[in-house]
DNA sequence: AAACCTATGTCAGACTACTGACATGAGTCA
DNA sequence: TGACTCATGTCAGTAGTCTGACATAGGTTT
């Protein structure tokens, strides 16, 4: 059952398991957001704006882990449908601060409740100490991947 | 800095951090696979076939966390380019067992080395016990999300 | 001041993955 | 046997994201 010698054992690979967990979370989120007519990126954008009003397109893109081009397309849709507003002209530089409209805030409320239920389900089998350990470990992994060194 | 009352605090959300880690891993993998002319799904497919020869289209799709339709398109490309082979007729039922060609195996070798370096970098800052804790915790999260219960 | 570098917003095209749909083969049950 | 259910392979259309490119604003360096 082992690999031919040079492969990466998927059963014990932390990378593979990370992808599996992320995929399962995304699927669960899509399942509860679909009835609300919302995608995961759509929700992420609104949630970011609720917590940090005035975020720019590029900042939202980084927060939602997509390119600024993708976020730009999404923002244009959200603006056209009345969920967010952006000033016609940049108050400073080229940065256009984005804000939720009352409609956007209202739409977000239901989505947040749905997503929270998913997150609670995911955390259900973990103890408090396991949850904080997971936070610490994931942060370490992100830092190692970003900085490009081996973390040693 | 806290949310308005009903939001999900992204700074301490395990779901958000999971997405961030997965995104960072995917970006790092894409960076090392791009020079080899390979995407992450492309690599995942070959790696699965190396470890479990004869996997069907649907099984590969589940293993790579994409739909069977997407995997089908990829397999057609890989077959046309000579990386994998599938029998013209199903030996049993409709299932078409797929296998790597020598070219596919050769192509996979370089990719595996590249991906392994990324995984080692990601694990660099973690102790042995943290790594096994991460495996256990992620498996628990996947199970809770899949089974649909709250894990209590 | 001028050249340079970086970051941003935006448009256009290409690609990837998804949903929907259909036919087929296998197993189950009345 | 026949009806039912389920999984598979595949085709077609759609949607979301990406890469490439360009112009512009701000800060930095010489």
């Amino acid at each position: 059952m082992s690999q031919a010698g040079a492969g990466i054992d998927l059963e014990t690979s932390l990378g593979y398991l990370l992808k599996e967990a992320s995929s399962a979370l995304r699927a669960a989120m899509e399942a509860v957001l679909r009835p609300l007519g919302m995608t995961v990126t759509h929700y992420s954008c609104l949630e970011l704006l609720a917590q940090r009003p005035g975020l720019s397109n590029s900042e939202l893109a980084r927060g939602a882990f997509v390119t600024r081009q993708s976020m730009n397309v999404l923002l244009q849709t959200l603006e056209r449908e009345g969920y967010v507003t952006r000033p016609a002209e940049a108050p400073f530089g080229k940065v256009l601060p984005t804000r939720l409209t009352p409609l956007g805030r209202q739409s977000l409320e239901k989505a947040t409740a749905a997503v929270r239920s998913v997150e609670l389900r995911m955390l259900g089998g973990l103890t408090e100490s396991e949850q904080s350990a997971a936070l610490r470990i994931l942060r370490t992994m992100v830092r190692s991947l970003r900085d490009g060194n081996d973390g040693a």
Side-chain angles (χ1 to χ4, degrees), chain A residues 11-142:
Chain A
E11 299 302 320
T12 60
S13 160
L14 195 48
Y16 187 77
L17 202 51
L18 183 58
K19 186 175 177 181
E20 182 172 9
S22 174
S23 174
L25 173 61
R26 186 177 190 90
M29 286 179 67
E30 282 172 350
V32 299
L33 288 175
R34 184 184 309 275
L36 303 175
M38 212 179 283
T39 67
V40 174
T41 307
H42 187 133
Y43 159 75
S44 299
C45 178
L46 296 185
E47 186 73 60
L48 281 163
L49 284 175
Q51 297 191 25
R52 302 207 274 274
L55 245 45
S56 71
N57 175 38
S58 289
E59 290 167 326
L60 286 168
R62 280 190 290 268
F65 310 110
V66 295
T67 62
R68 67 185 196 276
Q69 291 92 329
S70 298
M71 182 55 72
N72 190 37
V73 174
L74 174 60
L75 277 184
Q76 286 174 352
T77 303
L78 292 178
E79 189 172 17
R80 175 162 26 88
E81 295 176 354
Y83 295 102
V84 305
T85 54
R86 282 193 293 179
E89 296 219 348
F92 189 74
K94 294 189 69 177
V95 178
L96 291 175
T98 312
R99 292 184 178 276
L100 285 181
T101 63
L103 176 63
R105 223 175 310 270
Q106 172 187 339
S107 172
L108 175 59
E109 272 183 29
K110 299 173 188 171
T112 297
V115 170
R116 190 196 309 281
S117 73
V118 169
E119 181 137 6
L120 287 177
R121 193 167 88 215
M122 181 176 77
L123 298 177
L126 300 179
T127 65
E128 287 283 341
S129 66
E130 281 175 328
Q131 294 181 24
S132 55
L135 283 177
R136 182 172 45 81
I137 290 171
L138 286 174
R139 287 199 183 105
T140 303
M141 288 167 53
V142 169

